[in-house]
């Protein structure tokens, strides 16, 4: 008996393959993470992330301008600051004249059409390299909320379009929403790092920020990679706390979580294709072991297929250089 049903008919040439293609990626789906640094005069490549730089305040403007020309309009900004400015209260995060807030202001002044997503977390400013206030070697949830609320407000005042708490403290989404609303920032949205796992894939990012924890690890606040039901609990809480967008992080080892999110919420879903995922592709490509572009495209599409609407990726600019255009 020869087969009657032949799925290969829908693959026989590029035209029919394109007609039946289920998922597509466009430059509108991408958010580009960018590092700004007070410690460099122009730009400095991150050792474990070839092609990704820490930019000075001036250089970041040029970078954003070149991204806008490619149609890439949304940026997640992260600060790299001098060790001397770090403390247990993340004081520098509220310094109006400090690197981060002044850079946000400058970017929004020069490029009002750019969409700026700010990082709400203590680790870039913490002398302990943790995402919360350290009390007796532990991370104090509720003392941290107070700081995160002030940080988010300062970022909104500087012009942030969306704030993104990446810390994993309990209750922070609702806490930040209340503070923003009380201060007439009802229009500033919250991108919640909803299911953020305690992952080894963050290694290169911590190189970029010099933000590795000085003691212990982040397992008392970030999630255990073995768990998926717990991610649904986090999702339920962030929906109840009025997150605008919910995120899964990292992306690749957690495609199942993205897919579960898709089935459990009407909210838009973001996924963070993190530093270690980028570094692995770059390293293998450097060795000549894989075809970087094809692997990159396949990875980004797989994240969409899993159910993400939005992807944060260090590949965003490369991808936009190949396929993006101004719309
Ligand atoms: C911490 C934070 C991390 C990342 C973004 N925000 C790492 C961490 O939890 O130590 C990682 C992003 C990446 O690896 O690309 N608030």
């Amino acid at each position: 008996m020869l087969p009657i049903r032949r799925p290969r008919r829908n693959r026989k040439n590029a035209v029919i393959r394109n007609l039946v293609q289920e998922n597509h990626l466009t430059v509108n789906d991408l958010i580009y993470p960018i590092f700004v640094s007070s410690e460099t005069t122009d730009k400095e490549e991150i050792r474990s992330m070839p092609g990704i730089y820490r930019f000075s305040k001036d250089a970041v403007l040029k970078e954003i301008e070149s991204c806008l020309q490619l149609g890439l309009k949304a940026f997640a900004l992260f600060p790299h600051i001098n060790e001397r400015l770090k403390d247990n209260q993340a004081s520098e995060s509220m310094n109006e004249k400090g690197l981060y807030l002044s850079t946000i202001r400058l970017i929004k002044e020069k490029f009002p059409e750019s969409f700026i997503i700010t990082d709400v977390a203590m680790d870039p400013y913490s002398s302990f390299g943790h995402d919360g206030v350290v009390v007796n070697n532990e991370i104090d949830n509720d003392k941290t909320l107070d700081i995160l609320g002030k940080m988010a407000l300062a970022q909104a005042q500087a012009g942030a379009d969306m704030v993104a708490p990446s810390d994993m403290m309990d209750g922070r989404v609702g806490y930040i929403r209340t503070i923003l609303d009380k201060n007439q920032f009802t229009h500033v949205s919250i991108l919640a790092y909803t299911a953020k796992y305690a992952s080894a894939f963050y290694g290169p990012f911590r190189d970029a920020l010099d933000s590795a924890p000085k003691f212990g690890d982040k397992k008392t606040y970030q999630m255990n990679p073995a768990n998926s039901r717990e991610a649904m609990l986090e999702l339920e809480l962030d929906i109840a706390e009025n997150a605008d967008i919910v995120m899964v992080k990292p992306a690749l080892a957690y495609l199942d979580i993205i897919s579960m999110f898709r089935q459990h919420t009407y909210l838009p879903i973001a996924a963070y294709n993190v530093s270690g995922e980028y570094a692995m592709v770059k390293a293998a490509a450097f060795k000549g072991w894989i075809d970087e572009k094809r692997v990159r495209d396949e990875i980004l599409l797989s994240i969409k297929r899993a159910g993400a609407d939005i992807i944060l990726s260090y590949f965003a600019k490369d991808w936009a250089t190949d396929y993006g255009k101004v719309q």
Side-chain angles (χ1 to χ4, degrees), residues 123 131 166 196 202 205-206 218 222 249 274-275 314:
D123 56 309
D131 293 42
S166 65
K196 178 173 178 179
Y202 306 149
F205 175 95
R206 294 177 188 171
K218 298 192 175 186
Q222 298 180 349
K249 176 183 177 184
V274 298
S275 57
Y314 301 98

Side-chain angles (χ1 to χ4, degrees), residues 33 35 49 78 119-124 129 131 165-167 193 196-197 199 201-206 209 211-213 218 221-222 249 272-277 314:
F35 301 109
M49 303 178 74
F78 294 97
D119 183 50
V120 184
M122 290 180 60
D123 56 309
D131 293 42
S166 65
D167 57 290
Y193 284 65
K196 178 173 178 179
Y197 286 88
S199 171
F201 286 99
Y202 306 149
F205 175 95
R206 294 177 188 171
L209 260 57
S211 64
K218 298 192 175 186
Y221 43 107
Q222 298 180 349
K249 176 183 177 184
Y272 201 143
N273 176 216
V274 298
S275 57
E277 302 174 45
Y314 301 98

Side-chain angles (χ1 to χ4, degrees), residues 242-267:
N242 298 302
D244 297 284
I245 300 174
V246 287
M247 180 147 75
V248 175
K249 176 183 177 184
L252 274 192
Y254 301 88
L255 292 177
D256 58 326
I257 308 299
I258 299 173
S259 162
M260 285 174 78
F261 268 35
R262 183 70 294 157
Q263 286 157 33
H264 285 85
T265 182
Y266 297 127
L267 287 176

Side-chain angles (χ1 to χ4, degrees), residues 10-309:
N10 283 344
R11 300 178 204 135
K12 71 183 166 203
N13 61 39
V15 177
I16 185 69
R17 285 195 296 272
N18 287 339
L19 283 169
V20 301
Q21 179 162 332
E22 299 173 31
N23 292 286
H24 299 267
L25 184 69
T26 82
V27 71
N28 296 332
D29 306 321
L30 297 171
I31 294 175
Y32 193 35
I34 293 187
F35 301 109
V36 287
S37 175
S38 51
E39 307 304 295
T40 172
T41 42
D42 181 31
K43 63 178 195 176
E44 177 188 8
E45 194 169 42
I46 294 151
R47 189 182 53 84
S48 48
M49 303 178 74
I52 299 295
Y53 301 82
R54 295 167 176 158
F55 294 96
S56 70
K57 201 163 144 180
D58 293 326
V60 84
L61 293 175
K62 279 182 258 159
E63 178 67 2
I64 289 194
E65 186 170 29
S66 71
C67 289
L68 289 171
Q69 281 161 2
L70 299 170
L72 201 53
K73 305 173 203 82
F75 307 94
L77 285 192
F78 294 97
H80 168 252
I81 67 167
N82 192 292
E83 272 314 301
R84 281 181 294 107
L85 297 174
K86 301 185 181 182
D87 61 25
N88 193 23
Q89 306 296 320
S91 318
E92 181 62 15
S93 66
M94 282 154 241
N95 177 2
E96 289 286 317
K97 297 203 178 76
L99 167 80
Y100 199 56
L101 297 176
S102 66
T103 303
I104 297 161
R105 268 210 176 83
L106 193 65
I107 295 171
K108 288 301 292 187
E109 241 166 61
K110 272 223 126 178
F111 306 108
E113 72 276 31
S114 66
F115 192 90
I116 301 300
I117 301 150
T118 53
D119 183 50
V120 184
M122 290 180 60
D123 56 309
Y125 318 92
S126 157
S127 40
F128 292 109
H130 272 289
D131 293 42
V133 180
V134 177
V135 181
N136 299 329
N137 277 343
E138 294 196 0
I139 310 305
D140 188 303
N141 195 88
D142 300 1
K143 284 197 171 66
T144 304
L145 289 184
D146 179 52
I147 294 174
L148 297 176
K150 290 181 181 143
M151 201 187 288
L153 180 59
Q155 293 169 356
Q157 284 163 342
D161 295 285
M162 178 153 79
V163 298
S166 65
D167 57 290
M168 287 304 275
M169 294 303 116
D170 292 333
R172 90 283 206 210
V173 172
Y175 191 89
I176 291 170
R177 182 74 272 156
T178 307
I179 296 209
L180 290 177
D181 289 357
K182 259 197 215 144
N183 289 278
Q184 282 76 50
F185 288 105
T186 51
H187 56 284
V188 172
S189 35
I190 301 181
L191 164 62
Y193 284 65
T194 298
K196 178 173 178 179
Y197 286 88
S199 171
F201 286 99
Y202 306 149
F205 175 95
R206 294 177 188 171
D207 285 344
L209 260 57
D210 286 325
S211 64
K214 299 277 160 53
F215 71 88
D217 52 40
K218 298 192 175 186
K219 290 180 185 167
T220 68
Y221 43 107
Q222 298 180 349
M223 288 178 52
N224 180 345
N227 294 355
S228 56
R229 287 195 306 270
E230 191 182 350
M232 297 305 111
L233 171 63
E234 291 284 2
L235 175 61
E236 200 177 293
L237 292 170
D238 282 358
I239 293 171
E241 292 175 39
N242 298 302
D244 297 284
I245 300 174
V246 287
M247 180 147 75
V248 175
K249 176 183 177 184
L252 274 192
Y254 301 88
L255 292 177
D256 58 326
I257 308 299
I258 299 173
S259 162
M260 285 174 78
F261 268 35
R262 183 70 294 157
Q263 286 157 33
H264 285 85
T265 182
Y266 297 127
L267 287 176
I269 295 165
Y272 201 143
N273 176 216
V274 298
S275 57
E277 302 174 45
Y278 175 85
M280 289 194 303
V281 174
K282 284 285 177 182
F286 179 74
K287 288 270 191 183
W289 293 343
I290 57 167
D291 178 332
E292 177 176 339
K293 278 188 190 179
R294 290 186 54 211
V295 167
R296 173 198 73 195
D297 293 359
E298 190 173 328
I299 285 175
L300 293 174
L301 199 56
S302 78
I303 299 170
K304 281 221 87 180
R305 192 193 62 237
D309 304 286

